[in-house]
Amino acid sequence: MTNPVMECLLNHRSIRRFKLDPIEPEKLELILQAAVRTATAGNLQPYALVVVDDPARFKEIAGDSAGPDLLAAPVAIFALVDQYRLKRWFELSGAPFYNDQACNLFISFWDATIALQNAVVAAESLGLGSVYIGGVLAMDIQKAFGAPEYVFPAGLVLLGYPDETPPLRPRLPLEAVVHRNRYRIPTDEEIRSFYREEDARFDALNEEQKAKLAERGIRNRAQHRTVGHYTEKFIREQSAAILENLRRAGFHIGQ
Amino acid sequence: MTNPVMECLLNHRSIRRFKLDPIEPEKLELILQAAVRTATAGNLQPYALVVVDDPARFKEIAGDSAGPDLLAAPVAIFALVDQYRLKRWFELSGAPFYNDQACNLFISFWDATIALQNAVVAAESLGLGSVYIGGVLAMDIQKAFGAPEYVFPAGLVLLGYPDETPPLRPRLPLEAVVHRNRYRIPTDEEIRSFYREEDARFDALNEEQKAKLAERGIRNRAQHRTVGHYTEKFIREQSAAILENLRRAGFHIGQ
């Protein structure tokens, strides 16, 4: 029952080393056409895609200490929540604007990320590789791009010809993610079984590596993930920057 | 330069009338496999997919006045932010949990929606149709699914064999959505030109329709979109329900 689309989707792997050859303009155009064809709430396309393909501009953004960490790549596509364009249309039409609320924020964020995902699928079908960069959410896009009010970062993908052929990364067993007809709370034993492969990655470290991590209180994979990688300090700083971005953009989601 | 993947993406149209024949289990399985293969931050899959394929359960959810409006369809896939599963793994591993913040919420929301988008692309490649339902964001998933803390709605798609063949819906010109290297604020003339096709849809209404709308103060497409459809009352109610969902799930994004 497989087909070329399924093959493309099931073979996804993120690429972290790109050739710096530019992407052919007609390929980039197709990728963008696929992105904007994606489903969108009320057919309103409340998002923007900023394509950074000027190498000097790319380096500028990558070199900004307040910006997201970027690998070298010929193209970056930033997906932004964009209620500004709608606001201008409403204003020119004498229509009211109240799209500065949680509903508009999340719907636009959803639309922006799925458009970006279709860009990824299109790019991979054309022989390109991609990697998502989560750090974009904490980025000051008003400063970096001159974005106006009601514009907020939603996603970032780097694209280019792959300069590596990584293996497929593991995924949790399907039953860890998929629930049927209601949310079934897993038992402790099931949780342990879902993460057995993850846990084994820590166990496979050598004794010297483990001893070094133990000095920081890290004795298993989950602790490595939290204390060692996504630290509380990191999560708090990123979150504060995201809230500042919401405030700067003018979205009201205060509780 | 086109290929079967590009053809699939460029031919997307939302389906609003489905045959009620069930989806073959092996097709549904493939769709879910494509969804979980999607890129995910730190390879952590902080989302859940609730597949509702029991017709009685589907009707129950569709009939709940507090739930999202659902068309009849054989399958619904709800995408949920899910930090609960990670929390349980962390707890069983003696690792700290602080993933109740804006950073985790938005990264998980992003991951959940792009996984759902790959389910949509996979489904369409297998001859199925789909439609997204934005109203899911305001839905009480704790009540509907028995979802635990740190679980929050992120997306919903209905799937089934199409019982209609709608035309491609229009999209804004590419230059309305795509910016190059920075965000270029459009001029008033450009805004008018981007929305010319939208505006024409109102102008094409007959005089009787226009007269009825004029009684409600609606004299153009933008006013029809706001005052006539996504009313301030609707946006405020949906937003309040979303903030209540955040509070109920335990995410802290207060500004």
Side-chain angles (χ1 to χ4, degrees), chain A residues 39-40 42 86 129 212 214:
Chain A
T40 174
L86 274 173
K212 274 202 166 164

Side-chain angles (χ1 to χ4, degrees), chain A residues 36-37 42-45 49 51 57 82 88 93 113 118 169 171-172 177 179 181 183 188 220 225, chain B residues 36-37 42-45 49 51 57 82 88 93 113 169 171-172 177 179 181 183 188 220 225:
Chain A
V36 300
R37 174 47 48 198
N43 224 35
L44 283 169
Q45 297 178 268
L49 301 172
V51 177
R57 193 77 187 89
D82 186 356
R88 289 297 299 136
S93 306
T113 52
N118 269 11
R169 299 279 299 273
R171 289 289 184 270
L172 294 173
V177 174
H179 300 245
N181 295 299
Y183 188 106
D188 291 358
N220 60 41
R225 284 293 185 122
Chain B
V36 300
R37 173 49 48 199
N43 226 34
L44 284 168
Q45 297 177 267
L49 300 173
V51 177
R57 194 76 188 90
D82 187 356
R88 289 298 298 135
S93 305
T113 52
R169 299 280 298 273
R171 288 290 184 268
L172 293 173
V177 174
H179 300 245
N181 295 299
Y183 188 106
D188 291 358
N220 58 42
R225 285 295 185 121

